């Protein structure tokens, strides 16, 4: 170095320290698109937006060719020259946060994000807003009877104010609208305490006025520590099962407002989406049969590790919710004025009850029947007909050839309810005394097992493919019996038969459980009404005139204090 250069470095060191000795050419900011044609920049961004749903590919071949084709189509062939390959690669990486060679799911998720600040659904009291959603559970179920693995779905109802999981259902793939409607009923029913659970998981451990709530709902005595909340508004997506007539009618009957989330906008329900991630990390990853949340994270032989049936997964999940999730501190629940303090969903529920009170949930024992799908039919001499199946019962003898009391477009017809999970039966509501009566399929024999609407559709499809009449109930009964016989013969099972058998058995189990809960509600209500204490006498009632007036303090009394 020359003496002049040495003196320059010494001056820079005295003024800027060690930074003065750094060669500034090494830290000069670089802009890879500074000399790039603006038309090329715009074409790259447009082509990346057009390939969001396409499979991933390398930048060098397909993407570069498509950008060139776009430029030629807009500006003419050869008008805009493409930069060299190395320059083009650097420009694409600088322009796109997710290049076309990245995972398709990641690019789709990023493109689905709103272009503004995320909004938040706020709720100040329990039940003000309840979010409902369905996702595939990251655990494969195993049915030992059919010796087959089954993919399942998890549907939950999440209270926004307390982040409590109010209800859940684990079903085979294809959640029905009746499952969504009955999920609302589950949220307003206490979760039963399972045998073997410790006393620390009882409802009385929620730190709420337990004895006072027992006067409102006697079922809480044997309930688990899961909040019982009446949903005022539910936030649901535009899925067909959520927009079904069963779900909408359930909300109308229960007095629940419905708010729809936008299509493919996960940011409209961020709390429930975050809850699904928490469930995967705290529950699914620790259960045998965990398959990962996408193909890239899936193990090689996941089916070989599955060992739990759907019923067992439901029991495990119920214990996880009550024993772990509801008692674990949530970073989204803070004490007002003390952001460093975290609350658990149970603590947030106790605080909400203390501040806004407890809203009693409706206890109609016939809620199960009211939430079933309705078919309006006339009562003929042979019964009522639904989907070319005839149902009959003794109660229909009273209403044959009678005028229906329902006005409007339903004049002359009667509401017949049926559960798509068990098409063997239908249900009739007697308007005279308000009781419900069971109607049985007239062509069903004693060896017929409960079958779903999907099995009925499959039986009719087989009849049509063989040139027989799907409207003939004798043919349908024979086809259903043939399907069930194949199910009972493991040596002739196909994979489709196995899946059908597991699906029908699980749907029938869920339908029987819902009916048992409705019957249990009737019994508990009868016992609770019998145990109510008699009304007090007039002399036992507290009279306000007998209360002694207490001294009150006023700021004007300050000068009178010695």
């Amino acid at each position: 170095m020359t003496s002049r250069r040495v003196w320059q470095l010494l001056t820079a060191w005295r003024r800027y320290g060690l930074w003065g000795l750094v060669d500034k050419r090494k830290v000069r900011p670089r802009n890879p698109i500074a000399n790039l044609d603006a038309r090329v920049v715009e074409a790259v961004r447009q082509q990346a937006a057009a390939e969001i749903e396409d499979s991933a590919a390398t930048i060098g071949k397909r993407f570069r060719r498509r950008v060139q084709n776009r430029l030629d189509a807009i500006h003419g062939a050869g008008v805009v020259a493409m930069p060299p390959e190395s320059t083009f690669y650097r420009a694409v990486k600088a322009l796109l946060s997710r290049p076309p060679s990245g995972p398709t799911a990641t690019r789709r998720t990023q493109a689905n994000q709103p272009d503004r600040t995320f909004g938040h659904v706020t709720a100040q009291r329990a039940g003000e807003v309840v979010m409902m959603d369905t996702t595939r559970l990251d655990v494969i179920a195993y049915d030992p009877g059919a010796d087959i693995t089954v993919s399942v779905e998890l549907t939950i109802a999440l209270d926004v104010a307390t982040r409590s999981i109010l209800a859940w259902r684990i079903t085979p793939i294809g959640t029905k609208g009746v499952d969504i409607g009955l999920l609302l009923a589950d949220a307003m029913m206490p979760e039963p305490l399972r045998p073997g659970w410790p006393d620390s998981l009882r409802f009385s451990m929620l730190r709420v006025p337990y004895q006072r709530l027992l006067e409102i709902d006697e079922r809480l005595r044997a309930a688990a520590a899961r909040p019982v909340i009446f949903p005022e508004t539910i936030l649901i997506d535009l899925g067909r099962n959520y927009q079904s007539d069963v779900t909408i009618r359930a909300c109308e009957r229960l007095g629940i407002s419905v708010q729809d989330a936008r299509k493919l906008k996960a940011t409209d329900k961020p709390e429930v989406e975050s809850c699904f991630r928490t469930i995967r990390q705290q529950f699914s990853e620790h259960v045998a049969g965990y398959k990962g949340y996408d193909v890239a994270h899936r193990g090689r032989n996941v089916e070989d590790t599955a060992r739990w049936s759907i019923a067992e997964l439901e029991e495990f999940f119920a214990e996880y919710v009550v024993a772990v999730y509801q008692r674990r501190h949530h970073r989204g629940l803070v004490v007002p004025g003390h952001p460093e303090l975290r609350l658990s969903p149970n603590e947030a529920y106790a605080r909400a009850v203390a501040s806004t009170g407890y809203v009693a949930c409706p206890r109609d024992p016939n809620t199960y029947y009211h939430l079933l799908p309705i078919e309006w039919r006339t009562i003929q001499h042979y019964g009522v007909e639904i989907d070319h199946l005839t149902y009959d019962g003794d109660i229909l003898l009273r209403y044959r050839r009678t005028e229906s009391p329902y006005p409007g477009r339903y004049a002359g017809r009667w509401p017949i309810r049926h559960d798509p999970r068990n098409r063997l039966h239908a249900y009739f509501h007697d308007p005279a005394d308000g009781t419900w009566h069971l109607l049985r399929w007239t062509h069903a024999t004693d060896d017929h097992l409960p079958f779903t609407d999907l099995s009925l559709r499959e039986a009719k499809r087989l009849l049509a493919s063989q040139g027989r009449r799907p409207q003939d109930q004798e043919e349908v009964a024979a086809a259903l019996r043939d399907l069930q016989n194949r199910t009972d013969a493991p040596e002739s099972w196909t994979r489709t038969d196995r899946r059908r058998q597991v699906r029908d058995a699980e749907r029938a189990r869920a339908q029987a459980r819902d009916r048992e809960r409705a019957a249990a509600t009737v019994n508990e209500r009868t016992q609770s009404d019998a145990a109510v204490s008699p009304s007090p006498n007039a002399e036992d009632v507290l009279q306000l005139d007998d209360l002694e007036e207490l001294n009150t303090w006023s700021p004007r009394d300050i000068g009178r204090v010695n």
Side-chain angles (χ1 to χ4, degrees):
M1 295 184 184
T2 62
S3 59
R4 179 179 177 82
R5 181 56 183 164
V6 173
W7 282 107
Q8 288 177 347
L9 293 176
L10 179 60
T11 302
W13 175 75
R14 289 173 176 174
R15 179 176 300 179
Y16 302 109
L18 291 178
W19 178 248
L21 304 180
V22 176
D23 188 355
K24 301 304 185 293
R25 294 174 298 178
K26 303 297 183 182
V27 295
R28 184 182 303 165
R30 298 179 180 179
N31 186 2
I33 62 175
N35 299 324
L36 198 63
D37 194 330
R39 293 172 293 183
V40 176
V41 173
E42 185 66 20
V44 168
R45 290 174 175 169
Q46 292 178 355
Q47 186 61 36
E51 293 189 4
I52 291 177
E53 301 293 338
D54 294 351
S55 301
T58 57
I59 303 176
K61 301 300 180 182
R62 190 186 73 178
F63 187 74
R64 178 180 170 85
R65 174 176 52 82
R66 290 183 175 182
V67 171
Q68 181 66 68
N69 294 339
R70 180 177 290 271
L71 290 172
D72 295 343
I74 297 176
H75 305 284
V79 175
V80 181
M82 288 289 289
E85 291 188 1
S86 58
T87 305
F88 180 77
Y89 299 157
R90 290 194 299 268
V92 170
K93 292 180 180 179
L95 290 171
L96 307 177
S97 57
R98 297 292 180 182
S101 58
T104 304
T106 305
R107 290 187 282 116
R108 186 187 304 114
T109 301
Q110 184 186 24
N112 201 27
Q113 293 179 355
D115 56 352
R116 61 204 65 183
T117 304
F118 291 179
H120 296 281
V121 179
T122 59
Q124 304 299 329
R125 59 185 180 275
E128 183 176 359
V129 179
V130 173
M131 296 181 177
M132 300 177 62
D133 202 0
T134 302
T135 187
R136 289 205 175 191
L137 189 65
D138 300 322
V139 179
I140 298 178
Y142 172 73
D143 187 88
D147 189 23
I148 193 174
T149 57
V150 183
S151 297
V152 295
E153 290 181 338
L154 171 65
T155 305
I156 65 172
L158 181 73
D159 179 54
V160 176
T162 64
R163 298 297 197 277
S164 297
I165 299 180
L166 305 181
W168 56 87
R169 292 211 168 201
I170 299 179
T171 58
I173 296 297
T175 304
K176 299 292 184 179
V178 65
D179 297 321
I180 306 301
L182 293 174
L183 187 72
L184 292 172
D186 293 345
M188 296 182 291
M189 295 178 60
E191 184 67 22
L193 189 71
R194 269 65 166 184
W197 285 11
D199 291 339
S200 59
L201 301 183
R202 291 187 175 275
F203 188 87
S204 56
M205 304 303 293
L206 287 180
R207 299 180 182 179
V208 294
Y210 176 66
Q211 295 299 330
R212 192 182 309 170
L213 294 183
L214 284 180
E215 301 175 0
I216 303 176
D217 196 341
E218 187 69 21
R219 300 173 298 175
L220 299 177
R221 186 180 301 277
R226 190 263 290 168
V228 180
I229 296 176
F230 176 77
E232 300 178 18
T233 302
I234 61 171
L235 184 61
I236 57 179
D237 56 25
L238 300 179
R240 185 170 60 178
N241 51 354
Y242 284 93
Q243 300 296 327
S244 64
D245 177 70
V246 180
T247 305
I248 302 302
R249 185 162 42 80
C251 295
E252 292 177 353
R253 177 172 182 80
L254 298 173
I256 300 174
S257 302
V258 180
Q259 182 177 350
D260 295 332
R262 292 170 296 177
K263 186 177 181 180
L264 298 178
K265 290 295 182 182
T267 52
D268 286 354
K269 297 181 297 181
E271 287 81 3
V272 72
E273 300 294 343
S274 177
C275 183
F276 283 142
R277 183 178 67 249
T278 301
I279 291 173
R280 183 185 74 238
Q281 296 173 353
Q282 296 181 358
F283 175 76
S284 300
E285 292 181 357
H286 308 279
V287 179
Y290 173 69
K291 61 183 180 64
Y293 57 90
D294 60 8
V295 178
H297 294 80
R298 186 167 183 168
R300 175 174 295 181
N301 299 316
V302 180
E303 289 79 4
D304 297 340
T305 63
R307 65 183 65 178
W308 307 116
S309 64
I310 297 179
E312 292 170 329
L313 287 178
E314 281 188 342
E315 293 298 317
F316 293 153
F317 189 78
E319 186 173 1
Y320 156 73
V321 171
V322 177
V324 180
Y325 179 86
Q326 289 293 132
R327 307 201 306 175
R328 195 183 186 100
H329 286 175
H330 197 292
R331 64 180 181 180
L333 299 173
V334 298
V335 180
H338 302 276
E340 72 281 359
L341 299 180
R342 298 290 188 269
L343 298 176
S344 66
N346 282 345
E347 293 172 344
Y349 172 70
R351 178 180 172 275
V353 171
S355 60
T356 60
Y358 176 80
V359 178
C361 299
R363 296 183 55 192
D364 186 2
N366 297 320
T367 300
Y368 164 73
Y369 302 103
H370 287 296
L371 299 184
L372 294 179
I374 298 180
E375 297 290 343
W376 292 87
R377 295 292 185 268
T378 58
I379 300 179
Q380 304 294 335
H381 64 279
Y382 52 83
V384 293
E385 186 175 341
I386 302 176
D387 293 336
H388 303 289
L389 301 182
T390 302
Y391 297 89
D392 197 5
D394 296 337
I395 186 62
L396 297 185
L397 293 173
R398 186 187 310 173
Y399 294 99
R400 283 189 173 96
R401 299 186 180 89
T402 59
E403 190 68 22
S404 170
Y406 300 95
R409 60 192 183 99
Y410 301 123
R413 292 181 291 176
W414 298 82
I416 307 298
R417 273 131 172 127
H418 65 92
D419 196 327
R421 300 171 298 178
N422 183 4
R423 295 303 305 273
L424 200 62
H425 301 140
Y427 306 95
F428 177 77
H429 180 255
D430 189 355
D433 54 5
T435 58
W436 289 87
H437 298 269
L438 180 69
L439 307 179
R440 185 174 176 83
W441 182 30
T442 56
H443 288 71
T445 57
D446 294 337
D447 57 347
H448 266 113
L449 299 176
F451 57 91
T452 64
D453 55 343
L454 298 179
S455 294
L456 177 62
R457 192 182 310 162
E458 176 67 14
K460 291 184 177 181
R461 187 191 65 82
L462 292 176
L463 291 176
S465 63
Q466 298 172 3
R468 295 187 287 176
R469 297 180 65 251
Q471 295 81 10
D472 190 345
Q473 297 189 63
E474 294 290 348
E475 297 283 355
V476 173
L480 288 172
R481 190 179 297 107
D482 180 62
L483 286 176
Q484 294 174 356
N485 288 337
R486 281 189 290 167
T487 301
D488 293 337
E491 65 277 2
S492 63
W493 273 348
T494 63
R495 191 171 184 85
T496 303
D497 294 333
R498 296 172 189 266
R499 292 189 181 278
R500 182 185 302 109
Q501 189 272 342
V502 173
R503 180 194 62 212
D504 285 10
E506 176 57 31
R507 300 279 187 193
R509 183 189 68 84
Q511 186 264 347
R513 178 194 59 191
D514 292 333
R515 286 197 63 191
E516 290 175 0
R517 285 189 176 184
T521 303
V522 175
N523 298 333
E524 291 171 357
R525 187 172 184 178
T526 303
Q527 298 174 2
S528 175
D529 294 342
V532 174
S533 59
S535 57
N537 298 324
E539 57 271 12
D540 297 334
V541 179
L542 180 64
Q543 301 296 331
L544 297 181
D545 296 337
D546 298 336
L547 294 178
E548 181 181 357
E549 183 179 358
L550 297 178
N551 296 327
T552 58
W553 178 85
S554 175
R556 293 175 293 182
D557 299 335
I558 295 179
R560 303 175 186 176
V561 178
N562 296 329

